[in-house]
Amino acid sequence: MSAPLRVGNASGFYGDRFSAVREMLTGGPLDVLTGDYLAELTMLILGRDRMKDPARGYAKTFLRQMEENLGLAKDKGVRIVANAGGLNPAGLADALRELAAKLGVEVKIAHVEGDDLIARADEFGFEKPLTANAYLGAWGIAECLKAGADVVVTGRVTDASVIVGPAAAHFGWARDDYDALAGAVAAGHVIECGAQATGGNYAFFREQPIGVPGFPIAEIHADGSSVITKHPDTGGVVNTGTVTAQLLYEITGARYANPDVTARFDTLSLSDDGPDRVRISGVRGEAPPPTLKVCLNRLGGFRNETTFVLTGLDIEEKAALVREQLEGALAKRPPAEVRWTLARTDHADADTEERASALLHVAVKDNDPKIAGRAFSGAAIELALASYPGFHVTAPPSDASPFGVYSAAFVDAAAVPHVAVLPDGSKVDIAPASETLELSEVDEPALPEPLQADKVRRVPLGLVVGARSGDKGGNANLGVWVRSEEAWRWLVHRLTVGEFRRLLPETEGLPVTRHLLPNLWAMNFVVEGILGDGVASQARFDPQAKALGEWLRARELDVPEALL
């Protein structure tokens, strides 16, 4: 088959643009439309839904999108693959069948299951999780599509698998076609986060109009190479920068492991293929690791917060006073964890009250909802007439809310069932990979000759460096890249781990690893533990590290004038 498979994506997270499904179906030709609805936090949310009603646990938004668009997709011959099944893919498949019957649309619906390990938590040594889901691969999806499914819904598969599965089924790839599979993983990794590949959250957004970005498309070829693009006349932009940014998003090093293949991101190349078209080629693949990652979520207790507004003079002294008062009021039974943060957003001689004000944030956690609830927020508000001048807060007192704790585990892939439930209801067991390779880091590549610079200027790093950052549990990933060989020769010697720590003092004392990707003129930093127990625990300002890269770009250092 010489024609590429056109795979579009219409969701990067649970809560993404609702209209994207229709936009993608009406904007131009597609063969497959995918959606990624799951994240570590989403699994916790769905777990709480399942506690209230065992019949739920899937992304309800997807069902509403199908109510509007299932007939349209059928008419256009577009097959749909989404991981919206969450904790209950069988339940979502049944709901879709009921919906199709109500709409009078004849579609074949299949699902993939086996990832949910909650009933086997004791067997695997998991400590009382709310959710426990292994990341499955693409072959169950491929089996469903080969059986004629028009819609395939899954539970927890890797984000790229919803793209890899359709490509593997369409081109008839074998389990050991590692290079082709790795190419599809790269394409899937680029488009699975939706508009982030088409100009969303892009460091150099000022260089071209972004508007409301369209959603991305991967034109995947039989050898696994692809072209990343978007429908014509949609907002945003696709260029080597937007694709590089997404390739760096939430990875670690050069080896990007999936259940079916480990993709070598240090082998891929990007090239322009016309307006809003970027080709990904040369991706090499290796056998996958013998274990599967498991996403574990448990309820961690209850949390609450109050933000005091401090205005005008004596900001530090005002903060010290209210902190002393509140801690004194809570001394009889203090919350288990109390975290104070003073944000000096105030300006001297400010022309508005807001610009004259700083924010003192206090967050508490405890296993007792009463201690973290009104006992805390009530004590804070009781200080209103007895504390610093100008006392006020940003929100009224509130009850405590539950928070979650994320952790990852790894289990033998052979111990996890992977089942394709075909449109006729028959089940096909998907065997684990017969060939595996333990995951390891690549040797650091040889560094290029340093750039010789006679003149430098003190400027923000972001004038020459792009960045994209995000979370993996309690760790933050921060990828940076430049756009010329000269800039790479400077950056790779300048932005060492030590310099990274200096520029971002919050990383001091935490393990930081630098991974180099010379083909992309890029590097990725992994900061372990900076996000505590993950986004659901809300341990840090910017709990998903989405803006960590922009903070780095705002830091100033001496940059060769030749690069500016």
Side-chain angles (χ1 to χ4, degrees):
M1 299 181 182
S2 58
L5 181 74
R6 287 177 60 88
V7 182
N9 179 57
S11 176
F13 69 101
Y14 191 11
D16 209 343
R17 193 158 81 226
F18 185 88
S19 62
V21 171
R22 178 165 290 271
E23 291 169 15
M24 292 298 285
L25 289 172
T26 59
L30 285 179
D31 299 306
V32 180
L33 183 61
T34 65
D36 177 19
Y37 291 79
L38 302 183
E40 294 157 2
L41 179 60
T42 313
M43 302 303 283
L44 176 71
I45 294 170
L46 295 178
R48 292 173 60 187
D49 285 348
R50 185 170 63 177
M51 288 177 66
K52 300 172 185 175
D53 182 355
R56 304 311 288 262
Y58 55 78
K60 299 183 288 292
T61 297
F62 176 76
L63 196 61
R64 292 194 291 115
Q65 288 173 311
M66 290 302 97
E67 185 173 11
E68 292 189 7
N69 296 291
L70 189 59
L72 178 62
K74 177 66 175 179
D75 291 343
K76 289 183 172 291
V78 177
R79 303 168 96 175
I80 295 174
V81 180
N83 61 12
L87 303 178
N88 188 8
L92 178 56
D94 288 341
L96 285 167
R97 292 186 187 97
E98 293 177 9
L99 174 63
K102 184 179 76 172
L103 297 174
V105 179
E106 292 188 9
V107 290
K108 296 179 179 180
I109 296 167
H111 75 273
V112 177
E113 62 187 21
D115 62 294
D116 195 343
L117 304 180
I118 191 68
R120 300 168 65 191
D122 290 341
E123 173 189 344
F124 289 114
F126 305 151
E127 295 185 7
K128 298 181 180 179
L130 176 65
T131 69
N133 295 81
Y135 287 79
L136 300 180
W139 292 107
I141 296 170
E143 197 70 33
C144 292
L145 293 171
K146 287 189 290 185
D150 300 299
V151 181
V152 182
V153 291
T154 77
R156 179 72 275 185
V157 298
T158 66
D159 299 342
S161 290
V162 296
I163 291 93
V164 178
H170 180 75
F171 294 114
W173 292 337
R175 296 285 293 259
D176 60 355
D177 282 332
Y178 295 136
D179 291 349
L181 290 165
V185 165
H189 182 67
V190 170
I191 73 169
E192 54 92 358
C193 269
Q196 281 195 165
T198 56
N201 302 350
Y202 182 49
F204 300 113
F205 72 97
R206 295 174 58 193
E207 295 183 352
Q208 60 282 305
I210 298 296
V212 179
F215 276 65
I217 298 166
E219 298 176 352
I220 303 175
H221 293 260
D223 64 354
S225 64
S226 63
V227 172
I228 307 301
T229 185
K230 62 186 183 70
H231 282 322
D233 303 319
T234 56
V237 62
V238 177
N239 59 32
T240 56
T242 65
V243 173
T244 296
Q246 189 54 30
L247 283 169
L248 296 174
Y249 185 58
E250 294 182 349
I251 67 169
T252 53
R255 285 190 167 99
Y256 185 61
N258 267 246
D260 308 311
V261 65
T262 294
R264 290 288 299 265
F265 276 18
D266 57 338
T267 64
L268 64 79
S269 297
L270 302 182
S271 57
D272 289 322
D273 195 62
D276 289 318
R277 293 176 61 84
V278 174
R279 181 173 296 278
I280 304 176
S281 59
V283 191
R284 301 296 301 275
E286 300 171 343
T291 57
L292 297 181
K293 183 178 178 180
V294 181
C295 170
L296 301 172
N297 281 294
R298 62 179 175 84
L299 294 178
F302 298 86
R303 69 182 305 276
N304 206 346
E305 58 189 10
T306 293
T307 300
F308 301 97
V309 182
L310 316 174
T311 304
L313 305 178
D314 307 320
I315 296 294
E316 299 284 347
E317 290 78 6
K318 289 172 179 173
L321 173 59
V322 73
R323 177 171 179 170
E324 176 187 3
Q325 291 175 319
L326 183 56
E327 289 179 345
L330 300 173
K332 186 175 180 180
R333 171 56 170 93
E337 181 180 330
V338 182
R339 182 187 293 262
W340 293 88
T341 306
L342 176 60
R344 293 299 303 264
T345 52
D346 53 304
H347 297 72
D349 194 26
D351 55 355
T352 67
E353 183 177 336
E354 187 172 6
R355 284 171 55 84
S357 300
L359 300 175
L360 178 63
H361 185 74
V362 55
V364 300
K365 294 179 180 178
D366 201 275
N367 289 328
D368 187 337
K370 295 180 181 178
I371 296 299
R374 291 290 174 151
F376 160 74
S377 58
I381 297 304
E382 286 174 0
L383 297 173
L385 303 182
S387 189
Y388 61 87
F391 181 106
H392 64 287
V393 295
T394 58
S398 61
D399 292 324
S401 58
F403 72 90
V405 174
Y406 165 86
S407 62
F410 293 86
V411 300
D412 185 348
V416 178
H418 184 174
V419 182
V421 184
L422 307 184
D424 64 1
S426 62
K427 295 184 178 183
V428 177
D429 291 325
I430 306 300
S434 59
E435 179 186 16
T436 61
L437 183 65
E438 290 285 355
L439 194 64
S440 63
E441 299 295 343
V442 302
D443 294 334
E444 182 169 292
L447 301 185
E449 287 293 319
L451 182 69
Q452 301 301 319
D454 296 329
K455 296 182 179 180
V456 297
R457 191 188 315 164
R458 191 90 174 162
V459 296
L461 182 62
L463 293 189
V464 294
V465 173
R468 171 70 59 78
S469 58
D471 63 315
K472 280 294 181 185
N475 300 341
N477 303 94
L478 199 167
V480 297
W481 79 95
V482 289
R483 299 184 286 181
S484 71
E485 184 178 357
E486 291 75 16
W488 173 243
R489 288 169 54 199
W490 169 76
L491 182 70
V492 75
H493 292 279
R494 186 72 173 86
L495 193 55
T496 62
V497 169
E499 182 69 353
F500 181 89
R501 291 184 191 280
R502 186 189 71 81
L503 293 171
L504 303 183
E506 287 184 30
T507 66
E508 192 61 42
L510 298 173
V512 177
T513 307
R514 185 179 82 156
H515 304 275
L516 301 183
L517 296 168
N519 280 15
L520 297 174
W521 294 328
M523 60 180 72
N524 188 50
F525 292 89
V526 179
V527 185
E528 298 180 34
I530 192 170
L531 304 180
D533 291 319
V535 58
S537 71
Q538 293 285 320
R540 178 185 181 272
F541 175 78
D542 184 22
Q544 290 182 280
K546 299 300 185 184
L548 192 66
E550 288 303 293
W551 178 26
L552 179 67
R553 294 182 69 238
R555 296 307 309 269
E556 295 185 355
L557 72 171
D558 294 334
V559 176
E561 287 194 354
L563 302 179
L564 298 175

